Amino acid sequence: MILITSAKYLPIEFQIELGKLPPAFVPIGNKRLYEYQVKLFNSLNEKIVLSLPQSFALEQADKDRLKQLSVDIIFVPDNISLGESIIYCLNMLMPLNESIRILHGDTYFNNLEFYENCLVVSQIENNYDWEFLNKGYHFNNNFIYNDNTVLSGYFEIAKPYDFIKSILKSNFSYTQGLKLYSKQYPFTIVENHNWIDLGSVTSYFHFKKKYHNSKGF
């Protein structure tokens, strides 16, 4: 099962340009970001769920497109943390009889590799509010990280009930929950070189311009 977490509105600097949107709804070319995200999982034939703020009103065109893509929607109470949002969604999806793949709604990848119980990371060149890979994360492969290695917004959880417990024990912090979970179930670290964080307004408009030019619009 795949959960795309997009239950919080974009920061105010986005809203000035794009209006009040969840991250998975930012436009890229003539599509929404969620369309590119869903395409990443076409080969898996798994259920896809998109979380959205409870107050967000879906336009008919998006309802039709999401239905066409076979994406289920969970509306999450506004103004709760990411950890609380993930717990809310997983509770709504019970029973959880399979691994859970979680993709953050502001994340763009050209492609993804899928491994059981994995954590995807990337290298960054500039400083932003990212979660860095550090010794708090336990992993089972010989991955060598550095001060520029960050979590890039995709991970797979082989034991979802234990992950829920880990977040609850971590006071709903999803990053602390990941660290606690990894003590019992170490991650396979996978490095991805085509990640774009579209939750940063600078990254988004730079990528949008680059995409626009590459398509010759």
Side-chain angles (χ1 to χ4, degrees):
M1 187 184 302
I2 297 135
L3 172 63
I4 301 174
T5 58
S6 187
K8 191 173 184 178
Y9 290 107
L10 290 164
I12 189 66
E13 57 265 30
F14 276 95
Q15 295 181 29
I16 294 169
E17 297 285 342
L18 303 176
K20 197 172 183 180
L21 292 175
F25 278 64
V26 296
I28 300 173
N30 60 352
K31 297 180 180 180
R32 301 280 200 188
L33 176 55
Y34 68 73
E35 297 180 73
Y36 298 93
Q37 293 171 328
V38 168
K39 187 178 180 181
L40 292 169
F41 303 103
N42 280 351
S43 64
L44 297 179
N45 194 30
E46 294 183 11
K47 179 177 180 178
I48 300 179
V49 179
L50 174 66
S51 67
L52 294 172
Q54 202 162 50
S55 62
F56 181 63
L58 272 172
E59 295 181 358
Q60 189 60 49
D62 287 304
K63 289 181 182 178
D64 294 342
R65 184 58 179 144
L66 288 164
K67 183 178 180 180
Q68 185 181 33
L69 293 169
S70 299
V71 175
D72 293 340
I73 302 296
I74 293 180
F75 287 99
V76 176
D78 290 27
N79 302 317
I80 63 175
S81 70
L82 179 56
E84 290 171 313
S85 176
I86 290 172
I87 294 293
Y88 184 92
C89 291
L90 295 183
N91 280 331
M92 296 290 285
L93 294 168
M94 287 186 181
L96 302 170
N97 299 319
E98 57 188 321
S99 61
I100 299 293
R101 308 175 195 273
I102 298 179
L103 175 70
H104 292 335
D106 58 3
T107 301
Y108 176 92
F109 292 102
N110 280 328
N111 55 70
L112 277 174
E113 296 179 85
F114 303 112
Y115 296 88
E116 183 175 335
N117 214 61
C118 72
L119 189 64
V120 174
V121 301
S122 298
Q123 302 296 324
I124 52 99
E125 296 178 356
N126 56 325
N127 193 20
Y128 185 63
D129 188 22
W130 286 303
E131 173 67 13
F132 289 82
L133 188 67
N134 56 53
K135 64 182 180 181
Y137 291 93
H138 297 259
F139 45 93
N140 55 19
N141 54 334
N142 297 319
F143 183 81
I144 299 174
Y145 63 90
N146 56 51
D147 292 341
N148 296 318
T149 308
V150 298
L151 276 61
S152 49
Y154 174 77
F155 49 97
E156 181 184 340
I157 301 295
K159 304 290 183 180
Y161 287 109
D162 291 295
F163 180 53
I164 290 171
K165 291 177 185 177
S166 295
I167 293 180
L168 292 174
K169 289 178 181 178
S170 302
N171 197 28
F172 292 100
S173 166
Y174 102 91
T175 52
Q176 293 303 316
L178 283 171
K179 292 175 183 177
L180 183 59
Y181 170 85
S182 73
K183 287 183 178 180
Q184 187 174 4
Y185 305 102
F187 287 111
T188 297
I189 303 297
V190 180
E191 188 166 3
N192 186 290
H193 299 283
N194 59 71
W195 165 66
I196 306 290
D197 177 14
L198 299 184
S200 158
V201 67
T202 303
S203 294
Y204 169 71
F205 284 106
H206 176 76
F207 175 73
K208 186 179 179 183
K209 182 179 179 180
K210 183 179 178 181
Y211 183 88
H212 182 87
N213 291 340
S214 70
K215 297 299 179 181
F217 293 141

